[in-house]
Amino acid sequence: MLFQIKSYLKFLWKSKNEHAVHSPFVFNLLTKCFYDKKAKSEYAILNTYRKSFLQNKNTIEVTDFGAGSKIFENNTRQISKIAKTAGISPKRTKLLFRITAYFKPNSILEIGTSLGLATSALALGNPKATVTTLEGCPETARLAQLQLQKFNCTNVESVVTEFESYFRSLQLKLKTETKNYDLIYFDGNHSKKATLDYFDLLLPTVSNDTVWIFDDIHWSPEMEEAWEIIKNHPKVKVTIDTYQWGLVFFRYEQEKEHFIIRAS
């Protein structure tokens, strides 16, 4: 906890808003997407999706392949508490929806479905997109699948799998065919090794317009180390650190730039 407080204070000290940004690409993203205060009809759907889980007092047995939880002491967890503490926040759900609507990605990959709170934002952000969401825990995935069907998120393909085995099979496919993901949301394993492994395994799927979003880049010292390595990778051209998220862009035509931005 002390680490995260210090990390956040450092972020506040260094962070800027749109007035300090000279990149047209980033300036437009901030003013037309990040700071867009207009009401969206989809927000009500996202809120209702979340509310139904917040009211669910049943428990499930969670299979956790990631770095573990700082909230829960064991794997028997109440659904309402998962929705309240372990999922994406309401504010970030709306921002993820706006980012998806802004870039209009056709092919989306989500690493870590959980209850599908972020999945619903991705699906509603561009209903024409194909959203593939990966979840290692069968029970959590089942709940998300039922909820996504209930809310007519018909453009979602849910895959229950261990992430690394999925990426290995993807690598084999990439030897004979081209596969691009226009947007990838990384929220499945908050460890340095896993984050960097996923980064390397998925690099062959990027295009000039690909957007990657890494969740919890300041979750631990090792996640901050992973973020620094990602920022310095030669294929990465633009990054935006919003404290909770790290956004990565591979725009071949752009000079390398890093931004620390207050999301709102």
Side-chain angles (χ1 to χ4, degrees):
M1 181 62 74
L2 181 60
F3 164 78
Q4 291 182 332
I5 292 171
K6 289 181 177 179
S7 178
Y8 186 62
L9 290 174
K10 185 189 294 186
F11 167 81
L12 290 178
W13 178 257
K14 293 183 176 181
S15 62
K16 310 292 183 184
N17 58 24
E18 77 274 19
H19 301 299
V21 171
H22 302 293
S23 162
F25 169 75
V26 176
F27 180 83
N28 286 334
L29 174 60
L30 296 181
T31 55
K32 297 179 180 180
C33 175
F34 273 48
Y35 302 149
D36 179 7
K37 303 298 184 185
K38 296 174 186 173
K40 318 289 182 187
S41 60
E42 291 87 353
Y43 288 173
I45 301 172
L46 295 172
N47 287 336
T48 304
Y49 187 108
R50 178 185 300 274
K51 187 177 179 181
S52 68
F53 276 133
L54 290 172
Q55 295 172 340
N56 191 332
K57 305 303 180 183
N58 294 324
T59 60
I60 60 170
E61 195 69 21
V62 172
T63 307
D64 195 340
F65 294 102
S69 172
K70 291 183 178 180
I71 305 294
F72 298 101
E73 295 180 355
N74 58 57
N75 289 338
T76 302
R77 302 175 187 176
Q78 192 174 68
I79 294 166
S80 61
K81 290 184 178 178
I82 297 174
K84 184 178 180 180
T85 61
I88 186 173
S89 70
K91 179 180 174 183
R92 289 280 164 171
T93 305
K94 292 175 182 177
L95 178 55
L96 186 59
F97 165 81
R98 293 199 301 275
I99 290 171
T100 309
Y102 181 82
F103 286 111
K104 295 181 174 59
N106 291 315
S107 182
I108 300 172
L109 176 66
E110 179 187 28
I111 305 169
T113 314
S114 188
L115 296 177
L117 299 170
T119 321
S120 60
L122 295 167
L124 293 173
N126 185 12
K128 295 181 179 179
T130 299
V131 182
T132 303
T133 182
L134 312 180
E135 177 55 51
C137 172
E139 273 299 289
T140 313
R142 181 184 63 82
L143 285 174
Q145 289 168 11
L146 292 172
Q147 186 82 332
L148 290 164
Q149 291 169 9
K150 180 180 175 182
F151 282 81
N152 295 317
C153 295
T154 56
N155 56 335
V156 177
E157 177 194 6
S158 178
V159 182
V160 181
T161 180
E162 289 189 51
F163 304 145
E164 193 160 336
S165 63
Y166 182 88
F167 299 145
R168 296 294 180 191
S169 64
L170 178 62
Q171 271 194 319
L172 292 175
K173 289 181 182 178
L174 290 171
K175 291 180 179 180
T176 57
E177 60 185 87
T178 301
K179 174 64 178 177
N180 293 120
Y181 289 113
D182 303 312
L183 189 154
I184 301 181
Y185 182 56
F186 295 79
D187 185 26
N189 189 324
H190 299 144
S191 74
K192 176 182 177 180
K193 183 182 185 304
T195 299
L196 294 177
D197 284 349
Y198 301 165
F199 178 91
D200 289 334
L201 288 167
L202 288 166
L203 265 181
T205 71
V206 305
S207 69
N208 187 65
D209 299 320
T210 294
V211 184
W212 284 8
I213 304 173
F214 290 88
D215 188 46
D216 280 340
I217 58 171
H218 296 283
W219 193 73
S220 65
E222 70 164 16
M223 279 301 290
E224 288 194 344
E225 291 169 8
W227 176 240
E228 288 302 314
I229 292 169
I230 289 167
K231 282 167 56 180
N232 291 316
H233 192 281
K235 286 192 175 181
V236 171
K237 290 300 183 71
V238 177
T239 67
I240 301 175
D241 177 349
T242 71
Y243 187 74
Q244 180 73 29
W245 288 346
L247 281 78
V248 173
F249 303 92
F250 301 87
R251 296 163 55 80
Y252 312 141
E253 71 277 12
Q254 192 148 341
E255 292 295 319
K256 200 172 185 74
E257 289 185 278
H258 306 298
F259 299 89
I260 301 175
I261 298 292
R262 293 187 291 273
S264 61

